[in-house]
Amino acid sequence: MLGILGGGQLARMLALAAAPLGVKALVVDNAADACAGQVAPLVVADWTDYAALEQFAAQVDVVTFDFENVPAETAQRLAQKVAVFPAPRALAVAQDRLAEKTLFRECGLRTPEFMAVDTRADLDQALATVGAPAILKTRRLGYDGKGQFRLRALDDADAAWATLGSQAAAHGLILEAFVPFERELSVIAVRGRDGEFRTWPLTQNWHTDGVLSLSLAPAPDIDALQERATQLARTLAERLDYVGVFALELFVKDGELLGNEMAPRVHNSGHWTIEGALTSQFENHVRAVLGLPLGDTSARGLSAMFNWIGELPDAAPVLHAVDAHWHDYGKLPRAGRKVGHATVCAPDSLRMVERLGGIAHALNRDQQADPAVRELE
Ligand code: ATP
Ligand code: MG
Ligand code: MG
């Protein structure tokens, strides 16, 4: 039995990938309507309900995460009862933007300039060093661009502090230089219990209002970067003695890689691997945490993944299209919420552009497909 902490769409896709391997999943979430509950039994408990969590631990062979912000203390307590992958120490580093960026630098991965900010005076000092434009972020608990404030000029400091200052004491803040990047890439990587390591081809990503809207894989023209990205991901994984799938988010600036953040779990920019790779990130994560051999991570062809944010569009155009795949997470619509995605696969760029053109037109979402089309043409 595979135990999963967090019951969102990632847990749902993990449970679906585990089934053919003969592995059942048991999910914990604090919400009774968590969407993974549609495909696996769900334990409803808070992250500090240790009695319920110990009972959960007694029923499973290994515990993993759909949600990276499970308190480190909870992960450590569970690790005393049952195998937990990735290990609590790796989780702790990835939960803290300051620890994460410091590790990146130690591993030889450059990052945007950054400085820790705990007080209003720190913010002035950090701005003097980092300069503007810059982004102030909470060190912990941010996702989908939440807990961030973009400073266009030095005199935005008061506005930034008014928004995030109250979180400085509890979570700490970090000021980062804003990088006018050429492209955003991510590398999805997996490391087994025995140290076997693989990466999927690099993915190119586009965000809207801080939320991933489109991924294209393999990212076009990345020959020069693939090997370097793989090497960096491997160094990080070995430093953390990491087990399972993780994502490393990268900016490309002047042709060089800069590290943004790592996600210690399966990742939205790897959803294309379900239909677009020989083995999906979800299957390989299950294999890795259970100590099974890892599957081939090669791409079958090209894939484009569209996130449905807020509400689902009409499914029909995607269902009618060739080699296009619909994912409805069964979540209630809400502004800014990821409620589903679609993946379009094609053997080459010509046919991909054709298929995207057809679907984007039918969905009246031309803007969302545009960047991928521009990249491929
Ligand atoms: P996720 O949902 O990926 O966990 P998050 O809330 O942790 O998101 P980030 O990945 O830090 O946030 O930022 C979201 C997006 O905002 C990035 O993918 C990138 O497009 C943009 N961004 C973040 N930091 C910078 C930066 N220093 N310079 C330029 N753009 C940035
Ligand atoms: Mg993040
Ligand atoms: Mg991110």
Side-chain angles (χ1 to χ4, degrees), residues 10-177:
L10 302 179
R12 198 174 101 137
M13 289 184 268
L14 281 170
L16 291 172
L21 296 170
V23 176
K24 289 189 176 133
L26 181 63
V27 178
V28 185
D29 198 286
N30 49 26
D33 65 347
C35 78
Q38 298 158 18
V39 304
L42 178 70
V43 176
V44 181
D46 284 329
W47 301 126
T48 50
D49 183 352
Y50 299 121
L53 290 170
E54 279 181 14
Q55 235 177 37
F56 156 79
Q59 294 176 67
V60 301
D61 304 296
V62 55
V63 168
T64 191
F65 305 88
D66 137 291
F67 176 63
E68 76 238 52
N69 291 314
V70 170
E73 152 112 37
T74 300
Q76 272 151 14
R77 281 198 181 213
L78 284 169
Q80 285 162 14
K81 304 273 173 202
V82 64
V84 175
F85 295 117
R89 189 178 71 88
L91 191 74
V93 171
Q95 280 176 350
D96 179 355
R97 295 187 194 278
L98 186 66
E100 178 176 78
K101 286 202 164 62
T102 305
L103 176 69
F104 288 176
R105 289 191 169 178
E106 284 167 16
C107 290
L109 172 57
R110 290 176 51 212
T111 69
E113 281 306 315
F114 66 86
M115 263 182 95
V117 171
D118 292 321
T119 63
R120 180 67 181 77
D122 287 354
L123 178 57
D124 285 336
Q125 208 172 3
L127 268 171
T129 311
V130 167
I135 307 190
L136 186 65
K137 300 181 181 178
T138 57
R139 277 168 59 181
R140 300 169 185 284
L141 300 178
Y143 69 97
D144 285 348
K146 294 181 175 65
Q148 302 194 4
F149 190 99
R150 298 193 179 194
L151 296 91
R152 255 164 267 153
L154 297 181
D155 57 15
D156 284 340
D158 283 332
W161 192 255
T163 308
L164 293 179
S166 62
Q167 298 188 51
H171 307 310
L173 303 175
I174 182 172
L175 185 78
E176 294 176 17

Side-chain angles (χ1 to χ4, degrees), residues 11 38 41 46 57 63 102 150 168 228 232 235 248 255 257 270 293-294 322 342-343 345 350 373 375 377:
Q38 298 158 18
D46 284 329
V63 168
T102 305
R150 298 193 179 194
R228 167 111 180 103
L232 286 163
T235 307
L248 175 59
L257 296 176
L294 302 181
V322 181
T343 301
C345 300
L350 206 68
V373 171
E375 201 66 44
E377 271 174 350

Side-chain angles (χ1 to χ4, degrees), residues 269-293:
S269 70
H271 289 0
W272 66 269
T273 62
I274 296 175
E275 295 91 2
L278 295 194
T279 313
S280 79
Q281 63 166 349
F282 300 100
E283 176 170 349
N284 259 350
H285 185 71
V286 175
R287 291 190 191 207
V289 301
L290 288 169
L292 301 171

Side-chain angles (χ1 to χ4, degrees), residues 229-312:
T230 298
Q231 194 46 52
L232 286 163
R234 179 182 217 127
T235 307
L236 271 173
E238 286 172 359
R239 275 289 291 270
L240 294 170
D241 197 15
Y242 195 94
V243 174
V245 166
F246 66 97
L248 175 59
E249 296 182 7
L250 300 161
F251 300 138
V252 183
K253 174 78 181 53
D254 302 326
E256 288 245 359
L257 296 176
L258 293 176
N260 175 32
E261 64 168 348
M262 79 176 275
R265 50 169 170 74
V266 286
H267 193 253
N268 195 169
S269 70
H271 289 0
W272 66 269
T273 62
I274 296 175
E275 295 91 2
L278 295 194
T279 313
S280 79
Q281 63 166 349
F282 300 100
E283 176 170 349
N284 259 350
H285 185 71
V286 175
R287 291 190 191 207
V289 301
L290 288 169
L292 301 171
L294 302 181
D296 191 329
T297 51
S298 309
R300 294 180 191 278
L302 278 171
S303 298
M305 191 242 26
F306 297 82
N307 263 347
W308 305 138
I309 296 161
E311 58 180 3
L312 293 170

